[in-house]
Every structure is written in C-alpha cells, then in structure tokens.
Amino acid sequence: MADVRLLRFCHLIFDLRCKFLSDVRLKLKTPSNNLHRCYGRSTSSASTLWSAYKAAKTKCEEASLPPSVNPNSVFACNGLDLSKFEVYGFDYDYTLACYKETLHNLIYDLGKDVLVSKLKYPKAVGDLPYIPGFAVRGLHYDIRKGLFLKVDSYRQIQLGTVYKGHKALSDQEVFEAYGQPYIPINYMEGNVHGDKTAKMQHLNDLFSLPEMGLVSNVTEYFESHNIPYHAEILFWDVRNAVQSIHPVMHGIVEKNVEKYIRENRDLRLFLERLIKGNKKLFLITNSPYTFVNEGMNFLIGHDWKEIFDVIVVQARKPKFFNDNMRPFRLYDRDMETQTWERVTKLEKGKIYQEGTLSQLQAMTGWLHQKVLYFGDHVYSDLADLTLHFGWGTGAIIYELDVRSTACSLF
C-alpha cells in the first residue's frame, strides 16, 4: 500500500506545477500585435511569473520525503519486469566506460592544435584554455548565425540560453535574430523531409563538449579582437579538426588508461550477476578494438572477452541499426586487421566489425522484447531500437544529478 504521506507529497508537487503552468498560460494569452512586448518580457508579466515560480519553489524546498521512502531507490514511471529480458546489450563509451574531465581537455587541445598548425588559425588560439561546464550536451548550434542555444521539444527557444562566444544575448537580441520565439522545422530539421536547408546542428554527444568549447572560445576570440570570420566555416573547421584527431586520441588514452577512465569496481560484479541469472551479454560500440580492449582490461580484467557472448567494434552506429547491406567482418587480433571470409555465425570470444542489426538478430535469434540495450546517445543508440525493433532500452545520462531533495522533483 502506498504511503499516504508520499501520496500527499506527490499531490502537492502536482498542484504547484499546475498553478505555475496556469499562470504561464494566462500571461501567454496576448494579442499577436503585442508579441514583441510579450517576448521581450514586460515588467508586469515577468514579475508575476517570477513571483509564481519562486513561491512554488519555496514550497517544494520546505517539503521533504516521507521517512519510509529510500532516496537511493530506483523510481520508474512505468512498470518494468526485468525477468522478461533474456539478453543485455551495452555500448562502451560513456556506458561501460566513464571518462574523466582529462579526456575532454585532451580532445580540446588536440583539436586546437589542428586549427593552429594545419588550418593556420591565429597562434593566440593555441593559448585559449578549455572551460569545463561552459557548454552542456543537448544544445543546438545555429551554423548560419553562429549561436549556441537551447531549444525545447516544441522548438521553442529557451531565453537566457542563447550565446555568441561567451556573450549571452538579451531577449531583444534573440527576437531580432529570429523574429519569433521558436525555430521553424525546415530551418532546424530540414533534412527530415529531404530538404538540405537545415542550419541547426544538435550537439547531443558527450564527445561534443570539447568541440562546443572550442567553437565558443574561437568565436569569442574573433569577436573580441574584431577579426572577420564566417560562422559556418568556423564550425566545420572545428568539427573536422576534432574528428580528425580521434586516432591520435585513442593512442594516447590506450597508453595511460588510468588518467582518462574512471575506475568502476562494481562493473564486473554486475555483469557476472547477469551471467549467473542465465542472461546473454553483448557489446556494440563505434570505437576501435585496441581502444576498447585497453579500457576493458582496466575496468573488468584481461578475460573480459569471455564475459560477452557477442562483441562488435567499429559498428558505425546509427548505420548499424538501419542499414542492411554491410556484412560482419571478423577482426584478427594478432594481425590487428579484419579478415575477408564470410561470417555465418557470431561466436563467443571473437571480435567482429561493422555488420547490421538485422544480421545480428538472424544469427542469434535475439528479437523484440527479449533484449534490453544500454547506451548514452538517445538517437544513435536507443531511438531506432525502440521505435523499429521493439527492444527495451536504458539511457545512461550522467548529467542527471539524482538528489533526494523535494526541489529536484519539481
């Protein structure tokens, strides 16, 4: 039976959210000819909304969870019966392997060196330090305007989140840039409908954090020194520079794994518990074998390959999930290259490259609701698996700071 105090607490949170949203809707009922004034946050509407928000937040902070609720428990919106899953799959980067901030610094510095040494950017760019925490995953970058911004699921621009370099744009400047408080779908996602005019890049990979930091730092340098530049050229220069250094980055990390990967002593215990429960395990990653091998040796042990029933490296997700024409290739660990013979079955202890999900299912019989797959990238790892193949998916989101305070529930 549900704890009455917990139920009342949930009702309190719900009532507060409804009150706040009703105040927002009331203020948004503004004639279209007053859009500019509303978007610019008139004093009366802004003060009313802030007052409603602060009042609701105060009530949340004053509340507390009932003593019978364990803040370290796992809370779910839906029922999930783990006993129905027979197969557990994992990505590697930011799923099994959690990286330290030193990796972001390394990627940033290597990309910065490419800009200066190969693309002849000003030497002063080489002295620009990485700023941890300045950018967060999930931002959009407007290639045409050179702006970072946060856009919600309805394509509404989140005011206060629009930056050019390190400078935050005022609400008025945002309205002058876009003429409206939202981004048209053809501007943001033109390629969804076969239109190549989309000018927004969604930066939702944790590896994109140093890339965003480099774009913002160089933009700030150019702006503050009155150096003319083209925002789209800058973005693609940084994107290509960061992508080009991955082989170098892999080699550096392989030689000093402890410096870049966080130790996780419970990982092997967790995987062994799944095996004892008669679960099958597989690993699918876009990273190369030597890079994964050094990391897994550090995290689990040198026998890690015997833990997984299927191991696929350089899978090239999301193509792995939606292509049908790329065969699996066996990787020769001694020769450090792929072989040429046809792969007709997937064997434990062997390493495979590329391939497709349809071939994986055909060779293993792991179909539909039998499989639960964990990854950190919602689009590359998880979306297609749920929508098109019926797999269960688990998102590893390191940015979610799970706290037991009532405010975190609001």
Side-chain angles (χ1 to χ4, degrees):
M1 181 179 294
D3 191 295
V4 174
R5 290 168 295 178
L6 176 59
L7 186 60
R8 289 175 179 173
F9 178 78
C10 293
H11 285 165
L12 170 64
I13 299 299
F14 179 76
D15 291 341
L16 291 174
R17 293 188 67 164
C18 290
K19 180 181 183 302
F20 177 68
L21 291 175
S22 65
D23 288 340
V24 172
R25 294 190 185 98
L26 179 63
K27 290 302 173 183
L28 288 179
K29 291 181 179 178
T30 306
S32 58
N33 58 353
N34 290 331
L35 175 62
H36 189 285
R37 181 177 63 82
C38 177
Y39 188 77
R41 287 183 180 173
S42 64
T43 303
S44 60
S45 63
S47 60
T48 301
L49 291 174
W50 272 114
S51 297
Y53 170 76
K54 290 177 180 178
K57 184 176 181 180
T58 299
K59 290 185 179 180
C60 286
E61 291 174 335
E62 292 175 349
S64 61
L65 288 171
S68 60
V69 177
N70 181 1
N72 296 319
S73 299
V74 176
F75 299 88
C77 298
N78 302 315
L80 185 66
D81 187 354
L82 294 178
S83 65
K84 294 182 178 179
F85 294 109
E86 301 174 7
V87 185
Y88 281 68
F90 302 91
D91 186 17
Y92 173 73
D93 296 305
Y94 288 104
T95 300
L96 295 179
C98 179
Y99 295 99
K100 300 178 181 179
E101 194 67 48
T102 49
L103 181 68
H104 292 164
N105 282 278
L106 175 63
I107 295 173
Y108 175 89
D109 289 338
L110 292 173
K112 185 175 60 176
D113 291 343
V114 172
L115 290 182
V116 175
S117 62
K118 293 186 178 181
L119 302 181
K120 307 305 178 184
Y121 274 61
K123 291 184 178 180
V125 169
D127 298 324
L128 300 176
Y130 177 57
I131 306 176
F134 176 76
V136 296
R137 182 167 61 150
L139 295 178
H140 282 79
Y141 182 73
D142 189 325
I143 297 176
R144 181 174 294 171
K145 297 178 173 61
L147 301 175
F148 282 107
L149 63 158
K150 185 178 179 181
V151 183
D152 67 16
S153 58
Y154 298 98
R155 305 191 308 281
Q156 301 289 327
I157 301 172
Q158 303 299 289
L159 298 178
T161 70
V162 185
Y163 278 74
K164 171 168 280 189
H166 299 164
K167 176 181 176 294
L169 271 62
S170 67
D171 296 353
Q172 179 67 27
E173 290 174 318
V174 174
F175 184 79
E176 291 174 354
Y178 290 99
Q180 53 201 7
Y182 66 91
I183 306 295
I185 191 169
N186 65 324
Y187 188 92
M188 185 174 178
E189 302 176 350
N191 56 349
V192 172
H193 302 288
D195 180 9
K196 303 301 182 182
T197 61
K199 290 298 179 181
M200 305 286 284
Q201 288 287 325
H202 194 194
L203 304 167
N204 51 12
D205 189 321
L206 282 166
F207 282 123
S208 67
L209 293 179
E211 177 184 325
M212 290 188 282
L214 190 52
V215 171
S216 60
N217 281 354
V218 177
T219 299
E220 180 65 22
Y221 177 81
F222 284 165
E223 290 282 337
S224 61
H225 289 80
N226 296 316
I227 298 175
Y229 70 100
H230 193 296
E232 187 168 355
I233 291 176
L234 169 59
F235 174 79
W236 288 115
D237 279 352
V238 172
R239 168 63 60 86
N240 293 332
V242 170
Q243 290 183 346
S244 71
I245 58 87
H246 274 249
V248 178
M249 179 269 289
H250 290 153
I252 294 175
V253 173
E254 289 171 22
K255 295 177 181 177
N256 195 356
V257 177
E258 296 87 347
K259 182 178 179 180
Y260 299 101
I261 299 181
R262 299 183 185 277
E263 185 178 12
N264 186 352
R265 297 179 180 179
D266 295 327
L267 181 57
R268 184 183 182 99
L269 179 64
F270 167 68
L271 297 175
E272 289 178 341
R273 183 166 34 175
L274 292 177
I275 295 173
K276 290 179 181 178
N278 297 319
K279 309 298 182 182
K280 298 291 186 180
L281 305 182
F282 68 91
L283 172 66
I284 300 177
T285 175
N286 286 346
S287 294
Y289 169 72
T290 55
F291 180 72
V292 176
N293 185 51
E294 292 299 330
M296 294 296 277
N297 287 343
F298 170 70
L299 290 168
I300 298 178
H302 290 272
D303 62 341
W304 71 272
K305 291 177 285 295
E306 300 305 318
I307 291 179
F308 294 90
D309 295 274
V310 175
I311 301 171
V312 182
V313 299
Q314 292 180 281
R316 299 183 184 179
K317 294 176 293 182
K319 289 184 177 180
F320 181 87
F321 299 131
N322 48 46
D323 276 9
N324 294 312
M325 302 301 294
R326 297 185 309 125
F328 279 110
R329 302 190 67 175
L330 182 64
Y331 179 80
D332 189 321
R333 284 178 275 169
D334 296 326
M335 299 296 294
E336 295 187 352
T337 186
Q338 65 269 28
T339 63
W340 294 273
E341 68 259 27
R342 179 187 296 272
V343 174
T344 58
K345 60 180 179 179
L346 300 177
E347 301 179 62
K348 189 171 184 177
K350 294 187 176 181
I351 309 299
Y352 300 92
Q353 290 182 341
E354 301 189 19
T356 65
L357 180 59
S358 59
Q359 295 174 66
L360 175 69
Q361 291 180 318
M363 293 182 187
T364 61
W366 297 341
L367 303 174
H368 311 309
Q369 291 85 0
K370 292 182 179 180
V371 185
L372 179 61
Y373 182 78
F374 292 90
D376 72 291
H377 198 298
V378 175
Y379 299 106
S380 294
D381 290 328
L382 308 176
D384 288 339
L385 291 176
T386 299
L387 294 175
H388 303 299
F389 298 97
W391 281 16
T393 54
I396 308 299
I397 309 297
Y398 287 101
E399 294 91 343
L400 293 179
D401 179 18
V402 181
R403 295 170 295 174
S404 60
T405 61
C407 186
S408 67
L409 298 175
F410 181 65

